[in-house]
Amino acid sequence: MSHDEDSCNSSGNRTFAEVVQAASSRRSFLTGTVGLAAATFIAPSLGQTLTLTQNNGLGSRNVGETRLRKGRINFSPVPVSEGSGPMPSISSDYEYQVLIPWGTPLQSGIAEYTGDPNTRPSAADQERMVGVGHDGMHFFPFDGKNKEGILAINHEFGRNSHVLGKSAPEDDEDIRLSQAAHGVAMVHIRRSMQGWKVVVDSPYNRRITPNTPVLFSGPARGTPLLAPESGAKGTVNNCSSGFTPWGTYLTCEENFNGYFGDSQGSWTPTEEQERYGFSPEGFGYGWETHTTDRRFDLGSAEHPNEDNRFGWVVEIDPMAPDQPPVKRTALGRFKHEGVAIVEGKDGRIVAYMGDDQRFDYIYKFVSARNWQEMRAEGLSPLDQGRLYVARFNEDGTGEWLWLTINDPVLAARFNSQAEVLTYARVAADLLGATPMDRPEWTTVAPNGDVYCTLTNNSRREEPNPANPLTPNEDGHIIRWRDKGQHVGKRFTWDIFSIAQDTHAEGDERTFSDPDGLWVDPGGRMFIQTDGGQMKGLNNQMLVCSVYDEGGSQNLDIKRLFTGVTGDEITGLTTTPDRRTMFINTQHPGNGDPLASNFPAEPDGVTIPRDSTIVITRKGGGVVGS
Ligand code: FEO
Ligand code: CA
Ligand code: CA
């Protein structure tokens, strides 16, 4: 989504810059045999044994070896000429099924909301249905099976015009409906001869909304910043996601600021609130006008810390539906896009994270110790560790700057580590982090390289080495390799792809605004887009190889799927065998039935509904091949 338009960063870290040599030419570290030991990868499978699998031997940069082992990509791409309009298109080698559109019941006794423009679900029904704004996902298979499991899915946002059919809520019921459409769903799904279906009334089916009780853990827990914690509720604007090797889902709170407002005109922002983008009107949801629940009213004296309770990474156990979500404060508070977890040196858990706003930062968290030892002692690896923010240097090196109260610069500004984490953006400003062009998803490739989408920044006037375009209308993908198997303070980096390099006339590869990103164990990179595409295309999902060399001009990118008018393509997970992939069309038609009626056939009336799209290769095969 694009509520991240404005910069909240006035720290002036945009400096390094005069400098810009096409950083994309700096590819030498990718072609040699740089000795990064094989990273260990977390298999996208829990349920069974939560095994961590080795990375298919791709740790070495021996070119011949990687060529032998890289995954093939030889499907027929969707041509530009077929990638527009109110219905999706998919490669002729593939097929898709629509699953869990907004309004799908998770319990019996309530009717599906099918997009009738004259009605909307009740708030009570919506709390037992699939929400809106489908985004980050993870499939948790039962016993490693490819046919059954829990699909965890984020419901990032739904505009009032879409969810309520009006521009602003008129009563508390409207606000409750809007809130119930947000959050997270855990959906038990099973494949039969007729395709994938929801297991209605499964005990694993669950909705988590802005009104679900939550807990806090880590350094900010029990501090005045979050007090009083008893009765704390909710998660909101759940954008992308991650998952842990111990089988839990991580949902990331992105544009939380927009759900707050000032109903009385009595609120004066603090410096920290300004840095996080709070404003009297928010994004216009009107939640602050609720007559009895004043949590989202910035001027409410009863709820002085409600704003600090959002902007975290939240852990949810899909197999324990009675357990409350836990906000892991050690990972810092910012506009969390997503989180990519990898096991680093000594078995430490490493989390790479982007803060999606113009001129904001890339972060990583490293657990204090080996994650299995910590868990054996009853500790969460996500509660103790170090949070770093990235600085990209001109010479292709970079540094992870530790956000610690022991740093004299931070000690002069903050009173505790809890404050450093709660106001991580302010701390990162003070340490001189590199302002980026809206960091979205991160992913770790089989050889340990880390990639991050920088979706665009039309307001960049001053370049820095990692963000060389002024303005950057179409975005790029940056790549780095951490020294010390993900736990060190140094890295090398280059630019993997610049989207505008694909726009030449006749170039079928064209894409803009990269957002969702995943590299599979065969080195296939899946790029999902969110923004205005060139040549009349709808948003799309493309596939290329991370082993392609020679700069983005030469990347062999193929288009696997295009969405529908007005949507974005986001969310990505697979079954363990990778023969079934789940992605989402978010806000099809921007909620306007005149633009799209998806998943209904075009009729000009039905309200379009966010949906999951299940992708399989005709005749079988790994998706992307
Ligand atoms: Fe929720 Fe930055 O996308
Ligand atoms: Ca986006
Ligand atoms: Ca996104």
Side-chain angles (χ1 to χ4, degrees):
M1 90 188 271
S2 294
H3 280 307
D4 20 47
E5 305 294 303
D6 298 314
S7 167
C8 301
N9 187 350
S10 55
S11 66
N13 282 357
R14 303 171 210 181
T15 42
F16 313 113
E18 283 117 69
V19 208
V20 176
Q21 291 244 342
S24 55
S25 64
R26 196 188 304 112
R27 306 181 66 86
S28 56
F29 81 92
L30 296 163
T31 52
T33 50
V34 178
L36 179 73
T40 304
F41 258 72
I42 291 164
S45 49
L46 100 110
Q48 73 285 51
T49 53
L50 310 180
T51 46
L52 294 173
T53 57
Q54 291 295 321
N55 66 5
N56 299 339
L58 290 171
S60 149
R61 275 295 187 177
N62 180 300
V63 171
E65 184 180 328
T66 55
R67 280 193 182 141
L68 280 175
R69 292 168 184 265
K70 76 177 184 181
R72 67 192 177 117
I73 303 170
N74 62 0
F75 61 85
S76 299
V78 177
V80 166
S81 59
E82 295 176 12
S84 57
M87 297 296 281
S89 294
I90 195 164
S91 161
S92 56
D93 298 311
Y94 281 79
E95 54 198 351
Y96 74 86
Q97 178 206 332
V98 175
L99 186 68
I100 58 168
W102 167 39
T104 301
L106 299 177
Q107 294 177 19
S108 54
I110 51 175
E112 179 176 358
Y113 175 65
T114 56
D116 178 346
N118 299 311
T119 69
R120 292 296 191 277
S122 67
D125 280 359
Q126 180 63 76
E127 286 169 357
R128 295 179 290 163
M129 289 174 158
V130 171
V132 76
H134 296 32
D135 207 321
M137 287 188 288
H138 191 70
F139 180 71
F140 294 91
F142 288 139
D143 301 324
K145 287 179 186 163
N146 297 302
K147 294 183 176 178
E148 185 170 4
I150 298 170
L151 187 65
I153 180 169
N154 287 349
H155 296 299
E156 187 186 31
F157 79 104
R159 295 185 178 91
N160 288 335
S161 57
H162 192 194
V163 174
L164 307 180
K166 55 185 99 170
S167 62
E170 293 173 352
D171 53 30
D172 292 353
E173 165 73 9
D174 282 349
I175 292 172
R176 287 295 171 200
L177 171 56
S178 172
Q179 291 173 340
H182 284 74
V184 178
M186 297 283 163
V187 188
H188 183 171
I189 57 174
R190 183 186 293 147
R191 192 179 79 197
S192 67
M193 296 296 283
Q194 288 75 44
W196 290 86
K197 283 204 172 113
V198 175
V199 180
V200 176
D201 292 328
S202 165
Y204 296 107
N205 290 344
R206 181 181 188 187
R207 279 302 318 282
I208 293 153
T209 75
N211 293 306
T212 302
V214 296
L215 301 175
F216 292 88
S217 72
R221 178 187 179 189
T223 68
L225 293 161
L226 298 172
E229 285 176 40
S230 64
K233 288 195 284 190
T235 185
V236 78
N237 207 261
N238 305 82
C239 182
S240 185
S241 57
F243 60 97
T244 67
W246 51 95
T248 57
Y249 186 62
L250 301 174
T251 182
C252 298
E253 299 178 332
E254 191 190 16
N255 290 296
F256 57 93
N257 58 314
Y259 297 85
F260 288 79
D262 177 20
S263 75
Q264 315 285 335
S266 59
W267 167 71
T268 307
T270 62
E271 179 192 345
E272 292 84 7
Q273 286 174 322
E274 285 186 342
R275 184 65 181 83
Y276 283 83
F278 290 95
S279 68
E281 17 344 279
F283 298 157
Y285 284 96
W287 293 4
E288 73 278 11
T289 65
H290 197 286
T291 58
T292 57
D293 180 358
R294 314 302 302 186
R295 284 188 297 147
F296 295 97
D297 194 349
L298 289 163
S300 167
E302 294 162 70
H303 302 282
N305 293 315
E306 193 66 18
D307 53 327
N308 288 341
R309 296 196 179 118
F310 295 88
W312 303 102
V313 173
V314 189
E315 186 173 17
I316 304 170
D317 187 343
M319 302 297 176
D322 297 330
Q323 293 297 310
V326 181
K327 300 200 173 190
R328 298 291 180 192
T329 64
L331 277 62
R333 175 171 167 267
F334 44 91
K335 294 191 181 183
H336 281 278
E337 173 77 17
V339 53
I341 300 280
V342 65
E343 183 180 312
K345 187 178 180 186
D346 302 331
R348 280 180 270 181
I349 284 295
V350 179
Y352 290 105
M353 303 173 284
D355 179 351
D356 179 8
Q357 189 123 39
R358 288 177 175 140
F359 306 112
D360 264 290
Y361 307 129
I362 292 171
Y363 296 80
K364 86 167 175 181
F365 168 83
V366 180
S367 68
R369 291 186 288 121
N370 176 287
W371 70 266
Q372 288 166 300
E373 289 175 11
M374 293 182 78
R375 282 183 55 80
E377 295 167 22
L379 303 172
S380 170
L382 301 180
D383 280 349
Q384 296 175 20
R386 296 182 177 187
L387 183 67
Y388 300 91
V389 66
R391 179 160 65 205
F392 293 79
N393 300 320
E394 269 174 57
D395 62 357
T397 65
E399 294 159 63
W400 290 109
L401 310 170
W402 184 16
L403 300 176
T404 170
I405 191 65
N406 296 322
D407 184 303
V409 172
L410 300 186
R413 170 66 173 74
F414 297 107
N415 296 308
S416 64
Q417 185 64 18
E419 285 190 8
V420 170
L421 295 167
T422 304
Y423 305 123
R425 280 183 162 188
V426 180
D429 294 343
L430 291 168
L431 293 188
T434 300
M436 309 298 286
D437 288 343
R438 296 185 51 199
E440 301 247 28
W441 288 38
T442 48
T443 183
V444 188
N447 61 3
D449 287 349
V450 190
Y451 294 78
C452 179
T453 43
L454 299 161
T455 196
N456 59 50
N457 186 346
S458 59
R459 294 199 193 143
R460 182 174 288 284
E461 296 174 352
E462 194 176 353
N464 65 41
N467 301 272
L469 301 180
T470 54
N472 185 2
E473 298 285 0
D474 299 311
H476 61 290
I477 300 172
I478 200 163
R479 161 171 59 185
W480 64 89
R481 174 171 293 189
D482 257 53
K483 307 282 189 189
Q485 295 175 53
H486 300 287
V487 307
K489 289 190 172 179
R490 300 194 180 280
F491 59 90
T492 53
W493 65 274
D494 77 344
I495 290 177
F496 178 70
S497 174
I498 289 179
Q500 71 176 27
D501 288 349
T502 65
H503 292 343
E505 193 172 339
D507 191 336
E508 278 282 324
R509 306 173 305 164
T510 180
F511 74 97
S512 302
D513 313 298
D515 189 335
L517 191 71
W518 182 55
V519 178
D520 81 2
R524 298 179 192 85
M525 173 181 280
F526 294 78
I527 303 169
Q528 299 175 323
T529 70
D530 170 21
Q533 303 298 294
M534 308 288 284
K535 305 177 186 179
L537 277 168
N538 293 335
N539 277 297
Q540 50 183 326
M541 181 169 75
L542 310 102
V543 189
C544 64
S545 172
V546 296
Y547 302 114
D548 284 351
E549 298 290 350
S552 55
Q553 303 280 1
N554 297 320
L555 283 181
D556 185 15
I557 305 173
K558 290 184 173 171
R559 181 173 301 105
L560 180 59
F561 181 85
T562 56
V564 310
T565 308
D567 74 353
E568 75 179 75
I569 303 302
T570 186
L572 195 158
T573 185
T574 70
T575 52
D577 63 5
R578 288 186 280 124
R579 289 168 177 250
T580 300
M581 177 177 282
F582 305 89
I583 66 170
N584 293 311
T585 166
Q586 190 191 87
H587 56 81
N590 273 319
D592 179 359
L594 298 178
S596 174
N597 308 107
F598 189 79
E601 293 292 326
D603 65 5
V605 175
T606 312
I607 303 291
R609 293 184 293 154
D610 303 60
S611 301
T612 296
I613 307 288
V614 188
I615 292 177
T616 50
R617 190 172 172 100
K618 291 176 183 171
V622 169
V623 175
S625 64

